[in-house]
Amino acid sequence: MPASASPPVEPAAPPPGPPPASPDPTGSEAEGEVAGGSSSKPSAVGTVNWGTATLVGVFAGLLYGGSREASASVSKDAEVMLKMGSTPDKREQYRLMRDAMEKRFIRVAKGSLVGGARLGMFTATFFGIQNLLIDTRGVHDVFNIAGAGSATAAAFGLILPGSMMWRARNVLVGSALGAGICFPLGWIQLKLAEKANLEIASSKPSSDLTEGKGNQSRVGAAIERLEGSLKK
């Protein structure tokens, strides 16, 4: 009886190759990626951080309001001293002094809080509108600063107490004064920022060259010391 033919052997599957390499990210994407996967947007020349400016405005308002109330209370302290001189009773003098110190502390604290709140709100509104204009227009120039000053002054003129006609007058006057004051100040700020950036950019090559020469001198000295030790 003839032997039956063996079944054909199937060829082995080739081993799986390495996964296809993902394309390298472009230079702009690689530079734009940060720790959270978000891209950082470069800030324009002369822009100011909103939070930092608001904090500076609050602290400046605190100092200004407190110092103004402290200077205004000098005349009231003089009146208290006159009352103390005309009172022979020691307990009455101590009571007058304690009341005067308490009232002075309350006035200075209230003035500091009110001044910090007012100047902080003004600073936050100004720089918030300025950053909004920069994001909307895509460029930072003197017109953004003038527009922010005009809008901020108009907004604060609108919330002042008075009739509607008085508020409308305050809005018009505030917008004109804000634009007129902020336009030259903004131009000076941008010019100073551009000059500072140019000086920083021009000082970088000289510092790099000096650092390179220092590294070369250190390497040369190390080589000379090595040659001297080999000769010995």
PDB file of all heavy atoms in Angstrom, residues 162-205:
ATOM      1  N   GLY A 162     -23.748 111.543  41.242  1.00  0.00           N
ATOM      2  CA  GLY A 162     -24.272 112.740  40.600  1.00  0.00           C
ATOM      3  C   GLY A 162     -25.386 112.396  39.633  1.00  0.00           C
ATOM      4  O   GLY A 162     -25.773 111.231  39.472  1.00  0.00           O
ATOM      5  N   SER A 163     -25.902 113.411  38.974  1.00  0.00           N
ATOM      6  CA  SER A 163     -26.970 113.201  37.999  1.00  0.00           C
ATOM      7  C   SER A 163     -26.417 112.604  36.710  1.00  0.00           C
ATOM      8  O   SER A 163     -25.207 112.500  36.516  1.00  0.00           O
ATOM      9  CB  SER A 163     -27.673 114.538  37.711  1.00  0.00           C
ATOM     10  OG  SER A 163     -26.747 115.463  37.154  1.00  0.00           O
ATOM     11  N   MET A 164     -27.333 112.246  35.798  1.00  0.00           N
ATOM     12  CA  MET A 164     -26.915 111.643  34.539  1.00  0.00           C
ATOM     13  C   MET A 164     -26.146 112.641  33.676  1.00  0.00           C
ATOM     14  O   MET A 164     -25.176 112.276  32.999  1.00  0.00           O
ATOM     15  CB  MET A 164     -28.133 111.117  33.790  1.00  0.00           C
ATOM     16  CG  MET A 164     -28.808 109.923  34.458  1.00  0.00           C
ATOM     17  SD  MET A 164     -27.670 108.527  34.698  1.00  0.00           S
ATOM     18  CE  MET A 164     -27.251 108.151  33.007  1.00  0.00           C
ATOM     19  N   MET A 165     -26.555 113.891  33.684  1.00  0.00           N
ATOM     20  CA  MET A 165     -25.822 114.910  32.934  1.00  0.00           C
ATOM     21  C   MET A 165     -24.422 115.107  33.494  1.00  0.00           C
ATOM     22  O   MET A 165     -23.447 115.268  32.750  1.00  0.00           O
ATOM     23  CB  MET A 165     -26.602 116.228  32.969  1.00  0.00           C
ATOM     24  CG  MET A 165     -27.932 116.183  32.227  1.00  0.00           C
ATOM     25  SD  MET A 165     -27.712 115.878  30.460  1.00  0.00           S
ATOM     26  CE  MET A 165     -26.790 117.326  29.983  1.00  0.00           C
ATOM     27  N   TRP A 166     -24.304 115.092  34.814  1.00  0.00           N
ATOM     28  CA  TRP A 166     -22.985 115.231  35.434  1.00  0.00           C
ATOM     29  C   TRP A 166     -22.094 114.038  35.116  1.00  0.00           C
ATOM     30  O   TRP A 166     -20.905 114.188  34.851  1.00  0.00           O
ATOM     31  CB  TRP A 166     -23.158 115.401  36.935  1.00  0.00           C
ATOM     32  CG  TRP A 166     -21.875 115.539  37.697  1.00  0.00           C
ATOM     33  CD1 TRP A 166     -21.256 114.605  38.458  1.00  0.00           C
ATOM     34  CD2 TRP A 166     -21.040 116.697  37.743  1.00  0.00           C
ATOM     35  NE1 TRP A 166     -20.098 115.080  38.987  1.00  0.00           N
ATOM     36  CE2 TRP A 166     -19.935 116.384  38.560  1.00  0.00           C
ATOM     37  CE3 TRP A 166     -21.132 117.974  37.175  1.00  0.00           C
ATOM     38  CZ2 TRP A 166     -18.930 117.290  38.816  1.00  0.00           C
ATOM     39  CZ3 TRP A 166     -20.113 118.874  37.448  1.00  0.00           C
ATOM     40  CH2 TRP A 166     -19.031 118.538  38.254  1.00  0.00           C
ATOM     41  N   ARG A 167     -22.678 112.843  35.119  1.00  0.00           N
ATOM     42  CA  ARG A 167     -21.887 111.655  34.778  1.00  0.00           C
ATOM     43  C   ARG A 167     -21.482 111.651  33.310  1.00  0.00           C
ATOM     44  O   ARG A 167     -20.357 111.248  32.968  1.00  0.00           O
ATOM     45  CB  ARG A 167     -22.699 110.399  35.102  1.00  0.00           C
ATOM     46  CG  ARG A 167     -22.932 110.192  36.593  1.00  0.00           C
ATOM     47  CD  ARG A 167     -23.669 108.901  36.857  1.00  0.00           C
ATOM     48  NE  ARG A 167     -23.885 108.688  38.287  1.00  0.00           N
ATOM     49  CZ  ARG A 167     -24.472 107.616  38.792  1.00  0.00           C
ATOM     50  NH1 ARG A 167     -24.932 106.657  37.988  1.00  0.00           N
ATOM     51  NH2 ARG A 167     -24.621 107.503  40.105  1.00  0.00           N
ATOM     52  N   ALA A 168     -22.394 112.102  32.434  1.00  0.00           N
ATOM     53  CA  ALA A 168     -22.035 112.174  31.012  1.00  0.00           C
ATOM     54  C   ALA A 168     -20.895 113.171  30.793  1.00  0.00           C
ATOM     55  O   ALA A 168     -19.978 112.924  29.999  1.00  0.00           O
ATOM     56  CB  ALA A 168     -23.255 112.572  30.192  1.00  0.00           C
ATOM     57  N   ARG A 169     -20.939 114.273  31.520  1.00  0.00           N
ATOM     58  CA  ARG A 169     -19.839 115.242  31.425  1.00  0.00           C
ATOM     59  C   ARG A 169     -18.539 114.635  31.931  1.00  0.00           C
ATOM     60  O   ARG A 169     -17.467 114.843  31.330  1.00  0.00           O
ATOM     61  CB  ARG A 169     -20.197 116.493  32.227  1.00  0.00           C
ATOM     62  CG  ARG A 169     -19.107 117.549  32.262  1.00  0.00           C
ATOM     63  CD  ARG A 169     -19.509 118.726  33.128  1.00  0.00           C
ATOM     64  NE  ARG A 169     -18.437 119.688  33.251  1.00  0.00           N
ATOM     65  CZ  ARG A 169     -17.436 119.604  34.133  1.00  0.00           C
ATOM     66  NH1 ARG A 169     -17.399 118.567  34.972  1.00  0.00           N
ATOM     67  NH2 ARG A 169     -16.487 120.523  34.176  1.00  0.00           N
ATOM     68  N   ASN A 170     -18.603 113.883  33.034  1.00  0.00           N
ATOM     69  CA  ASN A 170     -17.397 113.240  33.555  1.00  0.00           C
ATOM     70  C   ASN A 170     -16.839 112.210  32.576  1.00  0.00           C
ATOM     71  O   ASN A 170     -15.615 112.056  32.451  1.00  0.00           O
ATOM     72  CB  ASN A 170     -17.708 112.565  34.888  1.00  0.00           C
ATOM     73  CG  ASN A 170     -17.980 113.567  36.003  1.00  0.00           C
ATOM     74  OD1 ASN A 170     -17.523 114.712  35.945  1.00  0.00           O
ATOM     75  ND2 ASN A 170     -18.731 113.144  37.002  1.00  0.00           N
ATOM     76  N   VAL A 171     -17.718 111.493  31.899  1.00  0.00           N
ATOM     77  CA  VAL A 171     -17.263 110.504  30.918  1.00  0.00           C
ATOM     78  C   VAL A 171     -16.526 111.179  29.771  1.00  0.00           C
ATOM     79  O   VAL A 171     -15.439 110.743  29.356  1.00  0.00           O
ATOM     80  CB  VAL A 171     -18.463 109.685  30.390  1.00  0.00           C
ATOM     81  CG1 VAL A 171     -18.057 108.859  29.176  1.00  0.00           C
ATOM     82  CG2 VAL A 171     -18.993 108.764  31.482  1.00  0.00           C
ATOM     83  N   LEU A 172     -17.079 112.259  29.244  1.00  0.00           N
ATOM     84  CA  LEU A 172     -16.429 112.965  28.130  1.00  0.00           C
ATOM     85  C   LEU A 172     -15.095 113.572  28.552  1.00  0.00           C
ATOM     86  O   LEU A 172     -14.074 113.437  27.859  1.00  0.00           O
ATOM     87  CB  LEU A 172     -17.364 114.051  27.597  1.00  0.00           C
ATOM     88  CG  LEU A 172     -18.664 113.563  26.931  1.00  0.00           C
ATOM     89  CD1 LEU A 172     -19.525 114.739  26.523  1.00  0.00           C
ATOM     90  CD2 LEU A 172     -18.354 112.669  25.742  1.00  0.00           C
ATOM     91  N   VAL A 173     -15.101 114.241  29.696  1.00  0.00           N
ATOM     92  CA  VAL A 173     -13.868 114.866  30.166  1.00  0.00           C
ATOM     93  C   VAL A 173     -12.812 113.808  30.511  1.00  0.00           C
ATOM     94  O   VAL A 173     -11.623 113.939  30.190  1.00  0.00           O
ATOM     95  CB  VAL A 173     -14.156 115.773  31.382  1.00  0.00           C
ATOM     96  CG1 VAL A 173     -12.864 116.315  31.972  1.00  0.00           C
ATOM     97  CG2 VAL A 173     -15.064 116.929  30.974  1.00  0.00           C
ATOM     98  N   GLY A 174     -13.251 112.705  31.154  1.00  0.00           N
ATOM     99  CA  GLY A 174     -12.304 111.656  31.520  1.00  0.00           C
ATOM    100  C   GLY A 174     -11.711 110.956  30.322  1.00  0.00           C
ATOM    101  O   GLY A 174     -10.501 110.657  30.297  1.00  0.00           O
ATOM    102  N   SER A 175     -12.519 110.685  29.308  1.00  0.00           N
ATOM    103  CA  SER A 175     -11.984 110.029  28.114  1.00  0.00           C
ATOM    104  C   SER A 175     -10.978 110.912  27.395  1.00  0.00           C
ATOM    105  O   SER A 175      -9.930 110.440  26.925  1.00  0.00           O
ATOM    106  CB  SER A 175     -13.127 109.649  27.172  1.00  0.00           C
ATOM    107  OG  SER A 175     -13.846 110.812  26.771  1.00  0.00           O
ATOM    108  N   ALA A 176     -11.272 112.227  27.314  1.00  0.00           N
ATOM    109  CA  ALA A 176     -10.332 113.131  26.655  1.00  0.00           C
ATOM    110  C   ALA A 176      -9.037 113.271  27.453  1.00  0.00           C
ATOM    111  O   ALA A 176      -7.933 113.208  26.897  1.00  0.00           O
ATOM    112  CB  ALA A 176     -10.990 114.496  26.463  1.00  0.00           C
ATOM    113  N   LEU A 177      -9.166 113.449  28.765  1.00  0.00           N
ATOM    114  CA  LEU A 177      -7.962 113.582  29.591  1.00  0.00           C
ATOM    115  C   LEU A 177      -7.150 112.293  29.618  1.00  0.00           C
ATOM    116  O   LEU A 177      -5.914 112.330  29.581  1.00  0.00           O
ATOM    117  CB  LEU A 177      -8.358 113.986  31.014  1.00  0.00           C
ATOM    118  CG  LEU A 177      -8.826 115.423  31.217  1.00  0.00           C
ATOM    119  CD1 LEU A 177      -9.232 115.652  32.664  1.00  0.00           C
ATOM    120  CD2 LEU A 177      -7.735 116.407  30.812  1.00  0.00           C
ATOM    121  N   GLY A 178      -7.835 111.136  29.694  1.00  0.00           N
ATOM    122  CA  GLY A 178      -7.114 109.868  29.711  1.00  0.00           C
ATOM    123  C   GLY A 178      -6.312 109.636  28.449  1.00  0.00           C
ATOM    124  O   GLY A 178      -5.136 109.228  28.497  1.00  0.00           O
ATOM    125  N   ALA A 179      -6.925 109.919  27.293  1.00  0.00           N
ATOM    126  CA  ALA A 179      -6.197 109.748  26.036  1.00  0.00           C
ATOM    127  C   ALA A 179      -5.067 110.766  25.904  1.00  0.00           C
ATOM    128  O   ALA A 179      -3.966 110.428  25.456  1.00  0.00           O
ATOM    129  CB  ALA A 179      -7.164 109.871  24.859  1.00  0.00           C
ATOM    130  N   GLY A 180      -5.325 112.022  26.320  1.00  0.00           N
ATOM    131  CA  GLY A 180      -4.295 113.043  26.197  1.00  0.00           C
ATOM    132  C   GLY A 180      -3.098 112.821  27.100  1.00  0.00           C
ATOM    133  O   GLY A 180      -1.963 113.141  26.740  1.00  0.00           O
ATOM    134  N   ILE A 181      -3.332 112.244  28.288  1.00  0.00           N
ATOM    135  CA  ILE A 181      -2.228 111.999  29.217  1.00  0.00           C
ATOM    136  C   ILE A 181      -1.492 110.706  28.867  1.00  0.00           C
ATOM    137  O   ILE A 181      -0.254 110.645  28.906  1.00  0.00           O
ATOM    138  CB  ILE A 181      -2.752 111.956  30.661  1.00  0.00           C
ATOM    139  CG1 ILE A 181      -3.272 113.346  31.071  1.00  0.00           C
ATOM    140  CG2 ILE A 181      -1.667 111.502  31.632  1.00  0.00           C
ATOM    141  CD1 ILE A 181      -3.937 113.367  32.426  1.00  0.00           C
ATOM    142  N   CYS A 182      -2.229 109.667  28.513  1.00  0.00           N
ATOM    143  CA  CYS A 182      -1.611 108.362  28.269  1.00  0.00           C
ATOM    144  C   CYS A 182      -0.888 108.272  26.925  1.00  0.00           C
ATOM    145  O   CYS A 182       0.001 107.434  26.772  1.00  0.00           O
ATOM    146  CB  CYS A 182      -2.662 107.256  28.348  1.00  0.00           C
ATOM    147  SG  CYS A 182      -3.316 106.980  30.000  1.00  0.00           S
ATOM    148  N   PHE A 183      -1.267 109.115  25.956  1.00  0.00           N
ATOM    149  CA  PHE A 183      -0.598 109.040  24.651  1.00  0.00           C
ATOM    150  C   PHE A 183       0.888 109.370  24.743  1.00  0.00           C
ATOM    151  O   PHE A 183       1.729 108.577  24.314  1.00  0.00           O
ATOM    152  CB  PHE A 183      -1.306 109.957  23.652  1.00  0.00           C
ATOM    153  CG  PHE A 183      -0.855 109.760  22.236  1.00  0.00           C
ATOM    154  CD1 PHE A 183      -1.470 108.824  21.419  1.00  0.00           C
ATOM    155  CD2 PHE A 183       0.193 110.508  21.717  1.00  0.00           C
ATOM    156  CE1 PHE A 183      -1.054 108.636  20.112  1.00  0.00           C
ATOM    157  CE2 PHE A 183       0.626 110.335  20.411  1.00  0.00           C
ATOM    158  CZ  PHE A 183      -0.003 109.395  19.609  1.00  0.00           C
ATOM    159  N   PRO A 184       1.292 110.532  25.305  1.00  0.00           N
ATOM    160  CA  PRO A 184       2.743 110.785  25.409  1.00  0.00           C
ATOM    161  C   PRO A 184       3.457 109.846  26.375  1.00  0.00           C
ATOM    162  O   PRO A 184       4.594 109.443  26.129  1.00  0.00           O
ATOM    163  CB  PRO A 184       2.813 112.242  25.878  1.00  0.00           C
ATOM    164  CG  PRO A 184       1.502 112.508  26.509  1.00  0.00           C
ATOM    165  CD  PRO A 184       0.506 111.682  25.785  1.00  0.00           C
ATOM    166  N   LEU A 185       2.782 109.486  27.477  1.00  0.00           N
ATOM    167  CA  LEU A 185       3.410 108.561  28.415  1.00  0.00           C
ATOM    168  C   LEU A 185       3.622 107.190  27.786  1.00  0.00           C
ATOM    169  O   LEU A 185       4.658 106.542  28.000  1.00  0.00           O
ATOM    170  CB  LEU A 185       2.554 108.441  29.679  1.00  0.00           C
ATOM    171  CG  LEU A 185       2.439 109.695  30.553  1.00  0.00           C
ATOM    172  CD1 LEU A 185       1.543 109.421  31.751  1.00  0.00           C
ATOM    173  CD2 LEU A 185       3.812 110.160  31.010  1.00  0.00           C
ATOM    174  N   GLY A 186       2.642 106.729  27.000  1.00  0.00           N
ATOM    175  CA  GLY A 186       2.801 105.447  26.315  1.00  0.00           C
ATOM    176  C   GLY A 186       3.902 105.482  25.277  1.00  0.00           C
ATOM    177  O   GLY A 186       4.654 104.508  25.116  1.00  0.00           O
ATOM    178  N   TRP A 187       4.020 106.608  24.566  1.00  0.00           N
ATOM    179  CA  TRP A 187       5.091 106.725  23.573  1.00  0.00           C
ATOM    180  C   TRP A 187       6.461 106.674  24.244  1.00  0.00           C
ATOM    181  O   TRP A 187       7.380 105.994  23.761  1.00  0.00           O
ATOM    182  CB  TRP A 187       4.921 108.038  22.810  1.00  0.00           C
ATOM    183  CG  TRP A 187       5.919 108.222  21.713  1.00  0.00           C
ATOM    184  CD1 TRP A 187       5.874 107.706  20.453  1.00  0.00           C
ATOM    185  CD2 TRP A 187       7.131 108.987  21.791  1.00  0.00           C
ATOM    186  NE1 TRP A 187       6.976 108.088  19.733  1.00  0.00           N
ATOM    187  CE2 TRP A 187       7.769 108.879  20.526  1.00  0.00           C
ATOM    188  CE3 TRP A 187       7.737 109.744  22.785  1.00  0.00           C
ATOM    189  CZ2 TRP A 187       8.978 109.512  20.251  1.00  0.00           C
ATOM    190  CZ3 TRP A 187       8.937 110.367  22.517  1.00  0.00           C
ATOM    191  CH2 TRP A 187       9.548 110.260  21.259  1.00  0.00           C
ATOM    192  N   ILE A 188       6.599 107.349  25.374  1.00  0.00           N
ATOM    193  CA  ILE A 188       7.869 107.321  26.108  1.00  0.00           C
ATOM    194  C   ILE A 188       8.157 105.912  26.626  1.00  0.00           C
ATOM    195  O   ILE A 188       9.297 105.425  26.561  1.00  0.00           O
ATOM    196  CB  ILE A 188       7.830 108.344  27.268  1.00  0.00           C
ATOM    197  CG1 ILE A 188       7.740 109.765  26.719  1.00  0.00           C
ATOM    198  CG2 ILE A 188       9.051 108.192  28.159  1.00  0.00           C
ATOM    199  CD1 ILE A 188       7.529 110.814  27.784  1.00  0.00           C
ATOM    200  N   GLN A 189       7.140 105.232  27.136  1.00  0.00           N
ATOM    201  CA  GLN A 189       7.334 103.876  27.649  1.00  0.00           C
ATOM    202  C   GLN A 189       7.800 102.926  26.561  1.00  0.00           C
ATOM    203  O   GLN A 189       8.734 102.136  26.758  1.00  0.00           O
ATOM    204  CB  GLN A 189       6.031 103.370  28.257  1.00  0.00           C
ATOM    205  CG  GLN A 189       6.113 101.917  28.735  1.00  0.00           C
ATOM    206  CD  GLN A 189       4.751 101.316  29.009  1.00  0.00           C
ATOM    207  OE1 GLN A 189       3.740 102.013  28.933  1.00  0.00           O
ATOM    208  NE2 GLN A 189       4.723 100.040  29.306  1.00  0.00           N
ATOM    209  N   LEU A 190       7.161 102.974  25.386  1.00  0.00           N
ATOM    210  CA  LEU A 190       7.547 102.075  24.298  1.00  0.00           C
ATOM    211  C   LEU A 190       8.956 102.380  23.790  1.00  0.00           C
ATOM    212  O   LEU A 190       9.724 101.462  23.476  1.00  0.00           O
ATOM    213  CB  LEU A 190       6.537 102.185  23.163  1.00  0.00           C
ATOM    214  CG  LEU A 190       5.125 101.669  23.463  1.00  0.00           C
ATOM    215  CD1 LEU A 190       4.225 101.881  22.266  1.00  0.00           C
ATOM    216  CD2 LEU A 190       5.165 100.199  23.846  1.00  0.00           C
ATOM    217  N   LYS A 191       9.308 103.672  23.714  1.00  0.00           N
ATOM    218  CA  LYS A 191      10.655 104.016  23.266  1.00  0.00           C
ATOM    219  C   LYS A 191      11.709 103.530  24.252  1.00  0.00           C
ATOM    220  O   LYS A 191      12.770 103.008  23.851  1.00  0.00           O
ATOM    221  CB  LYS A 191      10.768 105.535  23.078  1.00  0.00           C
ATOM    222  CG  LYS A 191       9.986 106.064  21.888  1.00  0.00           C
ATOM    223  CD  LYS A 191      10.468 105.438  20.594  1.00  0.00           C
ATOM    224  CE  LYS A 191       9.699 105.967  19.392  1.00  0.00           C
ATOM    225  NZ  LYS A 191      10.144 105.327  18.131  1.00  0.00           N
ATOM    226  N   LEU A 192      11.443 103.668  25.540  1.00  0.00           N
ATOM    227  CA  LEU A 192      12.394 103.188  26.542  1.00  0.00           C
ATOM    228  C   LEU A 192      12.509 101.668  26.503  1.00  0.00           C
ATOM    229  O   LEU A 192      13.613 101.113  26.654  1.00  0.00           O
ATOM    230  CB  LEU A 192      11.963 103.650  27.934  1.00  0.00           C
ATOM    231  CG  LEU A 192      12.077 105.155  28.215  1.00  0.00           C
ATOM    232  CD1 LEU A 192      11.525 105.474  29.602  1.00  0.00           C
ATOM    233  CD2 LEU A 192      13.518 105.626  28.091  1.00  0.00           C
ATOM    234  N   ALA A 193      11.387 100.972  26.295  1.00  0.00           N
ATOM    235  CA  ALA A 193      11.423  99.514  26.221  1.00  0.00           C
ATOM    236  C   ALA A 193      12.205  99.045  24.993  1.00  0.00           C
ATOM    237  O   ALA A 193      12.998  98.093  25.079  1.00  0.00           O
ATOM    238  CB  ALA A 193      10.006  98.961  26.194  1.00  0.00           C
ATOM    239  N   GLU A 194      12.006  99.696  23.858  1.00  0.00           N
ATOM    240  CA  GLU A 194      12.759  99.334  22.664  1.00  0.00           C
ATOM    241  C   GLU A 194      14.259  99.590  22.839  1.00  0.00           C
ATOM    242  O   GLU A 194      15.096  98.773  22.425  1.00  0.00           O
ATOM    243  CB  GLU A 194      12.235 100.122  21.469  1.00  0.00           C
ATOM    244  CG  GLU A 194      10.832  99.712  21.025  1.00  0.00           C
ATOM    245  CD  GLU A 194      10.321 100.563  19.876  1.00  0.00           C
ATOM    246  OE1 GLU A 194      11.084 101.473  19.453  1.00  0.00           O
ATOM    247  OE2 GLU A 194       9.191 100.334  19.423  1.00  0.00           O
ATOM    248  N   LYS A 195      14.603 100.710  23.454  1.00  0.00           N
ATOM    249  CA  LYS A 195      16.015 101.013  23.689  1.00  0.00           C
ATOM    250  C   LYS A 195      16.651  99.998  24.626  1.00  0.00           C
ATOM    251  O   LYS A 195      17.788  99.548  24.408  1.00  0.00           O
ATOM    252  CB  LYS A 195      16.136 102.419  24.275  1.00  0.00           C
ATOM    253  CG  LYS A 195      17.577 102.886  24.447  1.00  0.00           C
ATOM    254  CD  LYS A 195      17.631 104.309  24.966  1.00  0.00           C
ATOM    255  CE  LYS A 195      19.083 104.767  25.136  1.00  0.00           C
ATOM    256  NZ  LYS A 195      19.153 106.164  25.669  1.00  0.00           N
ATOM    257  N   ALA A 196      15.914  99.610  25.676  1.00  0.00           N
ATOM    258  CA  ALA A 196      16.449  98.604  26.605  1.00  0.00           C
ATOM    259  C   ALA A 196      16.642  97.260  25.917  1.00  0.00           C
ATOM    260  O   ALA A 196      17.654  96.577  26.135  1.00  0.00           O
ATOM    261  CB  ALA A 196      15.505  98.463  27.799  1.00  0.00           C
ATOM    262  N   ASN A 197      15.701  96.870  25.062  1.00  0.00           N
ATOM    263  CA  ASN A 197      15.850  95.601  24.344  1.00  0.00           C
ATOM    264  C   ASN A 197      17.021  95.625  23.380  1.00  0.00           C
ATOM    265  O   ASN A 197      17.741  94.626  23.227  1.00  0.00           O
ATOM    266  CB  ASN A 197      14.560  95.276  23.593  1.00  0.00           C
ATOM    267  CG  ASN A 197      13.427  94.909  24.530  1.00  0.00           C
ATOM    268  OD1 ASN A 197      13.656  94.461  25.649  1.00  0.00           O
ATOM    269  ND2 ASN A 197      12.194  95.118  24.089  1.00  0.00           N
ATOM    270  N   LEU A 198      17.238  96.771  22.727  1.00  0.00           N
ATOM    271  CA  LEU A 198      18.385  96.872  21.822  1.00  0.00           C
ATOM    272  C   LEU A 198      19.704  96.788  22.585  1.00  0.00           C
ATOM    273  O   LEU A 198      20.666  96.145  22.125  1.00  0.00           O
ATOM    274  CB  LEU A 198      18.305  98.189  21.041  1.00  0.00           C
ATOM    275  CG  LEU A 198      17.203  98.269  19.969  1.00  0.00           C
ATOM    276  CD1 LEU A 198      17.194  99.661  19.340  1.00  0.00           C
ATOM    277  CD2 LEU A 198      17.420  97.210  18.891  1.00  0.00           C
ATOM    278  N   GLU A 199      19.764  97.433  23.737  1.00  0.00           N
ATOM    279  CA  GLU A 199      20.997  97.362  24.536  1.00  0.00           C
ATOM    280  C   GLU A 199      21.257  95.944  25.037  1.00  0.00           C
ATOM    281  O   GLU A 199      22.397  95.482  25.055  1.00  0.00           O
ATOM    282  CB  GLU A 199      20.898  98.339  25.705  1.00  0.00           C
ATOM    283  CG  GLU A 199      20.934  99.800  25.287  1.00  0.00           C
ATOM    284  CD  GLU A 199      20.843 100.733  26.473  1.00  0.00           C
ATOM    285  OE1 GLU A 199      20.680 100.218  27.607  1.00  0.00           O
ATOM    286  OE2 GLU A 199      20.956 101.960  26.273  1.00  0.00           O
ATOM    287  N   ILE A 200      20.193  95.245  25.429  1.00  0.00           N
ATOM    288  CA  ILE A 200      20.366  93.862  25.883  1.00  0.00           C
ATOM    289  C   ILE A 200      20.828  92.973  24.743  1.00  0.00           C
ATOM    290  O   ILE A 200      21.719  92.128  24.905  1.00  0.00           O
ATOM    291  CB  ILE A 200      19.046  93.349  26.492  1.00  0.00           C
ATOM    292  CG1 ILE A 200      18.735  94.092  27.789  1.00  0.00           C
ATOM    293  CG2 ILE A 200      19.117  91.846  26.763  1.00  0.00           C
ATOM    294  CD1 ILE A 200      17.375  93.768  28.374  1.00  0.00           C
ATOM    295  N   ALA A 201      20.228  93.164  23.550  1.00  0.00           N
ATOM    296  CA  ALA A 201      20.618  92.343  22.402  1.00  0.00           C
ATOM    297  C   ALA A 201      22.049  92.631  21.963  1.00  0.00           C
ATOM    298  O   ALA A 201      22.777  91.723  21.542  1.00  0.00           O
ATOM    299  CB  ALA A 201      19.655  92.596  21.245  1.00  0.00           C
ATOM    300  N   SER A 202      22.486  93.892  22.054  1.00  0.00           N
ATOM    301  CA  SER A 202      23.863  94.222  21.662  1.00  0.00           C
ATOM    302  C   SER A 202      24.892  93.776  22.690  1.00  0.00           C
ATOM    303  O   SER A 202      26.049  93.554  22.356  1.00  0.00           O
ATOM    304  CB  SER A 202      23.984  95.726  21.443  1.00  0.00           C
ATOM    305  OG  SER A 202      23.692  96.418  22.648  1.00  0.00           O
ATOM    306  N   SER A 203      24.490  93.644  23.936  1.00  0.00           N
ATOM    307  CA  SER A 203      25.437  93.220  24.967  1.00  0.00           C
ATOM    308  C   SER A 203      25.618  91.715  25.016  1.00  0.00           C
ATOM    309  O   SER A 203      26.593  91.230  25.583  1.00  0.00           O
ATOM    310  CB  SER A 203      24.978  93.720  26.342  1.00  0.00           C
ATOM    311  OG  SER A 203      23.736  93.120  26.696  1.00  0.00           O
ATOM    312  N   LYS A 204      24.718  90.950  24.422  1.00  0.00           N
ATOM    313  CA  LYS A 204      24.845  89.491  24.467  1.00  0.00           C
ATOM    314  C   LYS A 204      26.049  88.967  23.697  1.00  0.00           C
ATOM    315  O   LYS A 204      26.792  88.132  24.199  1.00  0.00           O
ATOM    316  CB  LYS A 204      23.551  88.853  23.945  1.00  0.00           C
ATOM    317  CG  LYS A 204      22.425  88.836  24.964  1.00  0.00           C
ATOM    318  CD  LYS A 204      21.216  88.107  24.416  1.00  0.00           C
ATOM    319  CE  LYS A 204      20.104  88.063  25.461  1.00  0.00           C
ATOM    320  NZ  LYS A 204      18.901  87.364  24.940  1.00  0.00           N
ATOM    321  N   PRO A 205      26.334  89.402  22.426  1.00  0.00           N
ATOM    322  CA  PRO A 205      27.523  88.870  21.734  1.00  0.00           C
ATOM    323  C   PRO A 205      28.822  89.159  22.454  1.00  0.00           C
ATOM    324  O   PRO A 205      29.713  88.316  22.504  1.00  0.00           O
ATOM    325  CB  PRO A 205      27.461  89.564  20.366  1.00  0.00           C
ATOM    326  CG  PRO A 205      26.032  89.945  20.191  1.00  0.00           C
ATOM    327  CD  PRO A 205      25.550  90.266  21.554  1.00  0.00           C
TER     328      PRO A 205
END
